[in-house]
């Protein structure tokens, strides 16, 4: 037998050498090579390199006997051309016995003709029938033979015989007549037509015809606006979108690919009891974004509440939105860690009547040194009585020990310092709530008839000595005063929160002063409780930096309560609502209204990966009644209402882009004419828009300045989140603008794009139906408006989410630094003399008893450890795409420029972190700010910007 012909490499594919005889093994031998040959080795190890298969273009052209030119020259029937398709299928690396048996059965089924069938569809239509030209069915020939082939990727082939005037293949249908689904990565079609290889980037599960009787359709990677769709693809384009939308009825099966909307009516479980009832989020009563519809039947006790699917059962998302195997493995490992980390303290809590508070700071440290067994001080006989615990302890010792959070890596005692407490407001987990103070004393926007006087209890006398000789007005005029204001967020809910056993909270306000060194320092903290009667005086404490031992411990407790408020707002509002929940309607509408051929869908596709799945998992176990968020964070069962209140009163899509958010102007109602007069005097130099009952509230950490590179000037010059965020924002904006210009030369092109307009209209009017009439929605009418909307979406899905997510364990895993909840109010001799005496006698023990207990702390730590982890298959901002995602060379070139911009941004971030003049990110014991550094290896790294909300 002749040796196989050598292969030469061509555009990342290996072609059979010229001169090899067709029809012989070796002459048309299928060869594979990584499409991205230049991918870094570290990246290849991390998630494996997808391969794109191709077949030599030297395929036979079969002309009719005696005719050289076929129909074109001789007037007879068109000549026939042989074309071949190479399908790259990704196999599962781990299969259970059932899957192995199904694989063998499919191989046997393939031998008797129940194979995978394909059909090419041309971009042309038949001149007589006006129907798309089709190739006729062809079956994969080598499925059975390659059953035993090793490797993650297997390439199968099929052959088509088409007329020479078939035209360019624009779509291919796949019918899987086997018993189980398979994951189809890509298809490459080559042959005797003059179009060269045609690529189909599939990346989709192909269901058995038993599950999905209709054929799957995949379009080539060439982008087409709806008006430019080739005639042969128009009907298919419309039908595919119709199938993805479904009819809005029925219970969804896990194998379905239907995208639809529902309210958040599945967070509670009224069948378990009234304590598990939660309000429906979404609708006129409680506005909220929509989530993916599953169609499950209602609960037995409430027809409006959807029945739940509890772990370990899977909750529906469209099949292609589910985690891939590598991601699922990493996520499952993280969940196992969470279970093991919380199992032992949970069991001990049920055996012992003790609360298991930390007995000393060294007990907290032991979480990272000896692990759970030693840290709890458990006696050996306890483990002998609980064999399961003993088995887990013996077999999983490493898993039961927590990694040391980064916050402790440089300075174990940094969390005690005021400057570190303030630094975390601009370089921590939640750097988006700090605002410029423009009104003093601060004023509430709550109804004074219910919540009492709107003015804060903080006076100028409280803070005058901390202003470096400035008056309060001078400090505000010079942009030296800033605030973390969680008063209005929490006050309406405090009675319900404080009624929960083991949970106590205040509504907090903190004032910070910007020093000459560019750092911040807290100078006043106000702790408020609701009035005992509507409109009555509001109990309030004002604390300032300590001057003795007693006030030092009280100040530490006050800072802990502020951090607890901040943790709740971060998780429920900034992280969950403003990234996860807000993006879901945009993603649903994109799949429902924009074809995979649409250039804007191709742009958004990497930024939608895994988001529906992670949101579904969050509904199942994180934001649900008695879920992790309610169990571990201050708001508890009112968590959903706090999130929805922000959405109703404050969320605005037009202010979610980074520059707009930093400048943010927001109109709110003034509580009284008297206060309005006061406000007019104090903020007329800031705002020119005044009416009789509102004023403009500023986030105000930046001002518009056309002379600056990003069009704004930061008032806190060393603001790591904003400094680095603006680099990535500009890179994203430039990329999007250049991409949009390729397809939309003028406003008419935007306005006439039915799919694009349908996507945006449905997102606003269905996905965000409760705020659809708000005047602030941008009009999608020009290329600039389109680029602005897309830039905001990509920013939220990538950099904004990364900044709010991946520091949760590195910066918050040490609970005393950032307690997610508090169990005690500040000691007050007038309220409880005995408690105050206990505080005076042992403030160290009182402080630890006010922190979360061992059970709450370890459960919280295990979960945020999982949430802070990058999976091995993470796809990062600016990375090269692993498959030919578009056939538009100009778009590929524009993306290469974007990748270069992202690399330059990362280099700039590295230089900033080494700049000793930037004291908020460089100094003795100061952590560098890397949450917006784009690249990262797998694991908990406190850096890396994935393309999408994938965890």
């Amino acid at each position: 037998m002749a040796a196989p012909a050598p292969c030469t490499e061509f555009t990342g594919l290996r072609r059979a050498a010229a001169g090899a005889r067709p029809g012989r093994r070796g002459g048309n031998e299928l060869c594979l090579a990584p499409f991205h040959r230049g991918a870094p080795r570290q990246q290849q190890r991390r998630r494996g390199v997808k391969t794109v298969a191709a077949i030599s273009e030297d395929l036979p052209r079969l002309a009719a006997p005696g005719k050289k030119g076929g129909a074109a020259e001789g007037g007879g029937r068109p000549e026939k051309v042989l074309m071949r398709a190479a399908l790259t299928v990704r196999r599962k690396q781990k299969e259970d016995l059932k899957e192995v048996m199904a694989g063998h059965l499919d191989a046997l089924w393939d031998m008797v003709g129940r194979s995978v069938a394909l059909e090419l569809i041309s971009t042309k239509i038949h001149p007589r029938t006006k129907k798309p030209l089709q190739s006729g069915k062809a079956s994969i020939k080598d499925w059975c033979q390659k059953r035993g082939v090793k490797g993650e990727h297997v390439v199968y082939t099929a052959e088509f015989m088409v007329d020479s005037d078939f035209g360019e293949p624009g779509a291919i249908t796949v019918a899987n007549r086997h018993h189980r689904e398979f994951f189809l990565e890509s298809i490459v079609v080559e042959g005797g037509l003059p179009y060269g290889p045609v690529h189909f980037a599939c990346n989709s599960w192909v269901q058995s015809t038993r599950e999905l009787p209709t054929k799957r359709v995949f379009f080539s990677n060439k982008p087409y606006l709806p008006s430019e769709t080739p005639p042969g693809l128009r009907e298919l384009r419309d039908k595919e979108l119709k199938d993805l939308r479904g009819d809005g009825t029925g219970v969804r099966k896990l194998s379905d690919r239907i995208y639809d909307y529902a309210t958040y009516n599945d967070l509670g479980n009224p069948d378990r009891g009234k304590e598990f009832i939660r309000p429906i989020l979404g609708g006129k009563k409680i506005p909220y974004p929509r989530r993916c519809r599953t169609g499950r039947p209602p609960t037995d006790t409430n027809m409006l509440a959807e029945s739940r699917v509890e772990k370990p059962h899977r909750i529906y998302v469209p099949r292609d939105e589910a985690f891939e195997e590598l991601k699922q493995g990493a996520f499952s490992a993280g969940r196992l860690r969470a279970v093991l980390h919380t199992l032992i303290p949970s069991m001990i809590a049920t055996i012992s009547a003790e609360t298991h508070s930390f007995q000393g700071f060294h007990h907290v440290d032991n979480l990272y040194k000896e692990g759970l067994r030693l840290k709890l001080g458990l006696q050996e006989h306890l483990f002998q009585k609980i064999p399961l615990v003993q088995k887990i302890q013996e077999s999983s010792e490493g898993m039961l020990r927590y990694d040391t959070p980064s916050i402790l890596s440089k300075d174990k005692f940094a969390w005690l310092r005021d400057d570190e407490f303030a630094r975390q407001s601009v370089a921590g987990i939640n750097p988006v709530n700090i605002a410029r103070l423009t009104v003093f004393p601060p004023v509430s926007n709550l109804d004074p008839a219910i919540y009492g006087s709107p003015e804060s209890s903080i006076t100028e006398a409280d803070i005058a000595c901390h202003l470096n000789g400035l008056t309060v007005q001078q400090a505000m005029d010079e942009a030296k005063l800033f605030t973390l204001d969680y008063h209005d967020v929490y006050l309406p809910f405090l009675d319900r929160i404080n009624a929960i056993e083991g949970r106590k909270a205040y509504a907090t306000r903190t004032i910070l002063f910007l020093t000459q060194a560019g750092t911040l320092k807290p100078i006043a903290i106000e702790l408020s409780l609701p009035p005992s009667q509507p409109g009555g005086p509001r109990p309030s404490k004002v604390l300032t930096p300590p001057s003795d031992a007693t006030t030092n411990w009280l100040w530490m407790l006050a800072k802990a309560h502020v951090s607890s408020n901040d943790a709740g707002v971060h998780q429920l509002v900034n992280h969950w609502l403003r990234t996860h929940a807000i993006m879901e309607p945009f993603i649903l509408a994109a799949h429902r209204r924009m074809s995979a051929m649409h250039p804007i869908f191709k742009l958004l596709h990497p930024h939608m990966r895994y988001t529906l799945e992670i949101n579904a998992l969050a509904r199942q176990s994180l934001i649900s009644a008695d879920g992790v968020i309610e169990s571990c964070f201050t708001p508890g069962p009112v968590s959903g209402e706090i999130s929805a209140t922000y959405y109703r009163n404050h969320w605005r899509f037009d202010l979610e882009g980074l520059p707009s958010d930093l400048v943010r102007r927001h109109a709110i109602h003034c509580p009284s004419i008297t206060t309005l007069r006061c406000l007019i005097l104090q903020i007329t130099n800031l705002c020119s828009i005044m009416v009789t009952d509102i004023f403009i509230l500023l986030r105000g950490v930046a001002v518009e300045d056309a002379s600056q590179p990003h069009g704004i000037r930061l008032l806190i010059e060393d603001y790591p989140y904003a400094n680095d965020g603006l680099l990535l924002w500009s890179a994203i904006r430039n990329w999007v603008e250049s991409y949009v210009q390729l397809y939309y030369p003028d406003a008419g092109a935007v306005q006439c794009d039915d799919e694009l307009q349908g996507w945006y209209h449905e997102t606003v009017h269905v996905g965000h139906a409760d705020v659809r009439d708000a005047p602030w929605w941008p009009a999608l009418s020009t290329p600039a408006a389109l680029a602005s909307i897309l830039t905001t979406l990509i920013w939220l899905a990538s950099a904004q989410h990364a900044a709010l997510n991946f520091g949760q364990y590195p910066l918050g895993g040490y609970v005393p630094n950032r307690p997610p909840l508090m169990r005690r109010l500040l000691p007050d001799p007038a309220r409880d003399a005995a408690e105050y005496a206990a505080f005076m006698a042992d403030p160290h023990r009182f402080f630890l008893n006010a922190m979360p207990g061992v059970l709450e702390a370890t459960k919280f730590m295990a979960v945020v450890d999982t949430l802070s982890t990058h999976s091995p298959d993470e796809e990062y901002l600016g990375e090269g795409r692993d498959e030919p995602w578009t056939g538009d060379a100009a778009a590929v070139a524009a993306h290469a420029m974007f990748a270069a911009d992202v690399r330059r941004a990362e280099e700039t971030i590295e230089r900033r972190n080494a700049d000793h003049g930037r004291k908020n990110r460089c100094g003795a014991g100061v952590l560098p700010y890397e949450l917006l550094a784009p690249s990262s290896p797998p694991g908990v790294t406190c850096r890396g910007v994935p393309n999408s909300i994938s965890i």
Side-chain angles (χ1 to χ4, degrees), residues 453-525:
S453 172
E455 293 188 347
S456 167
S457 300
I458 302 173
T459 66
E460 185 160 0
D462 291 325
I463 62 174
C465 62
H466 301 287
L467 302 181
N468 288 356
L470 300 175
T471 66
V472 169
Q473 188 61 51
Q474 288 172 331
M476 288 193 296
D477 292 343
E478 295 181 18
K480 296 290 187 182
L481 291 180
F482 295 85
T483 181
L484 294 172
D485 193 338
Y486 302 123
H487 179 276
D488 289 9
V489 175
Y490 280 94
L491 196 67
F493 301 97
L494 280 184
D495 284 336
R496 293 162 65 185
I497 292 172
N498 289 335
I500 302 170
E501 184 178 358
R503 198 167 303 200
K504 299 298 178 185
Y506 295 101
T508 67
R509 287 190 182 102
T510 305
I511 296 179
L512 305 109
F513 180 73
L514 182 63
T515 69
Q516 290 183 344
T519 59
L520 293 159
K521 65 177 182 179
I523 59 175
I525 296 174

Side-chain angles (χ1 to χ4, degrees), residues 170-391:
I172 190 167
T173 65
V174 182
N176 175 15
R177 295 183 289 189
H178 290 163
H179 286 77
R180 64 173 184 166
E181 65 182 5
F182 63 86
F183 190 85
L184 181 58
E185 280 195 350
S186 64
I187 303 175
V188 179
V189 175
E190 296 184 271
L193 296 177
Y195 299 101
V198 179
H199 294 271
F200 298 81
C202 306
N203 293 310
S204 177
W205 290 97
V206 179
Q207 304 297 324
S208 166
T209 51
R210 297 182 176 202
E211 292 280 354
L212 185 68
T214 58
K215 302 173 185 177
R216 284 299 311 277
V217 177
F218 298 101
F219 297 103
S220 75
N221 67 343
K222 287 193 174 182
Y224 294 107
L225 293 174
S227 61
E228 299 169 350
T229 308
L233 304 180
R234 289 172 186 167
E235 185 176 340
L236 272 181
R237 182 171 186 151
D238 293 340
K239 182 181 183 302
E240 174 73 357
L241 287 174
K242 183 178 179 181
D243 290 343
L244 290 171
R245 290 194 290 268
D247 60 7
T249 64
V251 178
R252 298 273 61 86
K253 299 179 297 182
L254 293 177
S255 59
D256 285 345
R257 297 175 57 249
I258 295 176
Y259 297 78
D260 205 352
Y261 304 92
T263 59
Y264 282 77
N265 62 347
D266 63 342
L267 301 182
N269 191 352
D271 292 348
R272 288 182 62 187
K274 64 180 182 180
E275 66 271 26
F276 295 98
I277 295 174
R278 295 294 180 270
I280 295 172
L281 305 184
K284 291 183 179 180
K285 186 176 181 181
I286 305 180
Y288 213 64
R290 299 300 187 259
R291 49 94 172 177
C292 183
R293 179 184 179 274
T294 66
R296 297 191 302 267
T299 60
D300 294 336
T301 54
N302 185 345
M303 292 298 292
L304 298 179
E306 187 175 86
S307 57
R308 290 184 50 77
V309 175
E310 303 293 352
K311 294 183 299 184
H313 301 292
R314 289 176 56 193
I315 189 169
Y316 170 78
V317 293
R319 184 66 183 98
D320 291 339
E321 305 302 320
F323 290 163
E324 296 176 17
E325 185 180 16
L326 200 58
K327 172 73 171 182
Q328 184 62 51
F331 188 77
S332 297
R335 287 198 297 182
L336 177 60
R337 286 171 59 88
V339 169
L340 292 176
H341 277 134
T342 58
L343 175 62
I344 292 178
S346 297
M347 296 185 72
I348 299 307
T350 63
I351 295 171
S352 171
E354 300 177 13
T355 60
H356 290 292
S357 297
F358 291 106
Q359 301 303 303
F361 287 106
H362 65 284
H363 288 159
V364 183
D365 295 339
N366 281 345
L367 291 170
Y368 320 112
K369 295 178 181 179
E370 289 91 3
L372 282 168
R373 181 175 179 178
L374 292 177
K375 83 178 189 318
L376 288 173
L378 300 175
Q379 300 298 320
E380 188 67 27
H381 70 272
L382 265 180
F383 283 98
Q384 294 173 356
K385 293 179 180 179
I386 313 173
L388 174 62
V389 173
Q390 185 178 20
K391 181 178 179 181

Side-chain angles (χ1 to χ4, degrees), residues 64-103:
K67 303 292 183 182
K68 291 185 178 181
E73 294 184 23
R77 297 178 61 186
E79 63 181 14
K80 294 292 184 180
V81 175
L82 177 65
M83 304 193 72
R84 288 185 181 174
L87 293 80
T88 301
V89 173
R90 186 171 69 227
R91 287 180 174 173
K92 292 186 67 175
Q93 294 299 291
K94 297 180 181 179
E95 293 184 331
D96 57 29
L97 181 60
K98 182 179 178 181
E99 290 171 324
V100 171
M101 295 301 295

